[in-house]
Amino acid sequence: MKKISTLSLAILLSLGLNAAQAQTPVGEVKGTATAHTEASAKGVMAGAQLVLPAQATGGAAYVGAFKDAPATVRNKVPVVVFLHGSSGLGLKAIGEWQQWLGSLGIASVAPDSFALPDRVTYKSPASKEAYEKIHALRRSEITLALQALQAQPWADMQRLVLAGTSEGATAVARYGGAEFAGRIIFSWSCEDNYFVERPDTAVVPGQQVLNIISATDPFFSPANTWLGNASASGHCARAFKDHPQASVVLIPGAPHTLLNLRAARQPVQGFLVDLLKP
């Protein structure tokens, strides 16, 4: 067997370290604001993306800003509150998903976190401190949405579901209130990793939960070389291991944004129709 010299071994180790470092992207944080002002708190819901199904309006479905919603409606309908990811409401997939919900007779409202001027944005990986400030901001938007819905003639407050993707899903997973009949956690793993100080997943007795994530999610599965958790499974099964009302759907080879994949829509439809009976 050929012996490897001390110098050669050092070079090999150095090359391996450099390769690992090269796989970790350079993070970036922009902006300074991490808490809503009185004005931005109003803007979060005023500019929220709303879809009201025909069952609510009595005519054509309404698609537009929350502030311009019809003043009179025919029926109360179930509502999904959806928290967008770090790219905001500009993501085309969100509007498509909301209109699909409308076709099922379910209203949906997506608060606009970027109503806050100079809101912090980031390119991962960033510091856990920066992420946690954003997570707190996103949790506050759930309260704003609930407050706004209470005054709406079309919102059936007994049939609410909280959903979110990625950054928004982290707030959904951590929300422990009983106002919602169920929660849908898209593209978040409920695990300790670079994105949180602690997972802090809330398990609410009797509350239905659906977690849908790619088996190779680029951020939160073991496929991410800088995940920061060597024992991660890449989904929420461990967090809800003693919660029989929770289900986990892993989609092989799916991208991070998977709202509109057939493999994602099918379990969502079953979950919502069974739970909300629209």
Side-chain angles (χ1 to χ4, degrees):
M1 181 181 292
K2 183 180 289 185
K3 293 184 178 180
I4 300 176
S5 69
T6 302
L7 178 59
S8 297
L9 180 60
I11 292 173
L12 288 172
L13 290 173
S14 176
L15 289 173
L17 180 61
N18 290 336
Q21 291 175 336
Q23 291 176 326
T24 303
V26 177
E28 183 180 48
V29 175
K30 295 182 178 180
T32 60
T34 56
H36 283 296
T37 64
E38 183 177 352
S40 73
K42 294 178 180 177
V44 165
M45 292 309 298
Q49 201 163 271
L50 173 66
V51 173
L52 291 180
Q55 291 88 332
T57 65
Y62 170 78
V63 179
F66 187 86
K67 64 182 177 60
D68 298 323
T72 58
V73 294
R74 177 174 292 181
N75 298 301
K76 288 183 178 291
V77 292
V79 185
V80 171
V81 175
F82 183 82
L83 300 189
H84 62 68
S86 61
S87 58
L89 291 177
L91 192 65
K92 184 180 177 182
I94 296 175
E96 293 175 350
W97 190 73
Q98 286 188 263
Q99 291 189 52
W100 172 71
L101 289 181
S103 72
L104 302 178
I106 300 170
S108 60
V109 59
D112 180 13
S113 185
F114 287 92
L116 175 63
D118 197 36
R119 178 196 186 276
V120 164
T121 60
Y122 53 84
K123 177 182 178 182
S124 291
S127 71
K128 291 189 177 185
E129 180 183 7
Y131 287 132
E132 288 295 354
K133 289 180 180 179
I134 290 297
H135 297 328
L137 177 76
R138 302 311 305 276
R139 287 198 300 274
S140 74
E141 294 161 7
I142 299 173
T143 300
L144 294 175
L146 284 169
Q147 292 171 344
L149 286 173
Q150 288 172 355
Q152 303 307 311
W154 43 264
D156 186 340
M157 300 301 289
Q158 303 305 310
R159 294 189 291 167
L160 299 180
V161 164
L162 179 62
T165 187
S166 192
E167 177 189 284
T170 308
V172 170
R174 288 175 163 188
Y175 188 75
E179 300 93 342
F180 297 94
R183 289 178 287 166
I184 306 177
I185 303 166
F186 289 105
S187 301
W188 167 238
S189 63
C190 306
E191 294 182 304
D192 186 21
N193 54 40
Y194 75 93
F195 202 52
V196 293
E197 291 285 359
R198 295 172 303 279
D200 289 336
T201 304
V203 179
V204 182
Q207 189 178 70
Q208 304 292 315
V209 179
L210 177 61
N211 172 220
I212 303 180
I213 188 168
S214 170
T216 52
D217 186 272
F219 297 103
F220 304 125
S221 81
N224 182 358
T225 58
W226 43 272
L227 181 65
N229 181 353
S231 62
S233 57
H235 52 75
C236 295
R238 288 178 184 170
F240 293 103
K241 64 183 177 64
D242 297 319
H243 190 64
Q245 289 79 26
S247 298
V248 174
V249 176
L250 286 178
I251 304 179
H256 186 59
T257 300
L258 43 63
L259 298 173
N260 296 305
L261 294 182
R262 186 187 194 93
R265 281 189 175 185
Q266 287 178 335
V268 168
Q269 181 171 350
F271 180 85
L272 292 175
V273 171
D274 179 68
L275 187 60
L276 301 177
K277 296 175 173 57

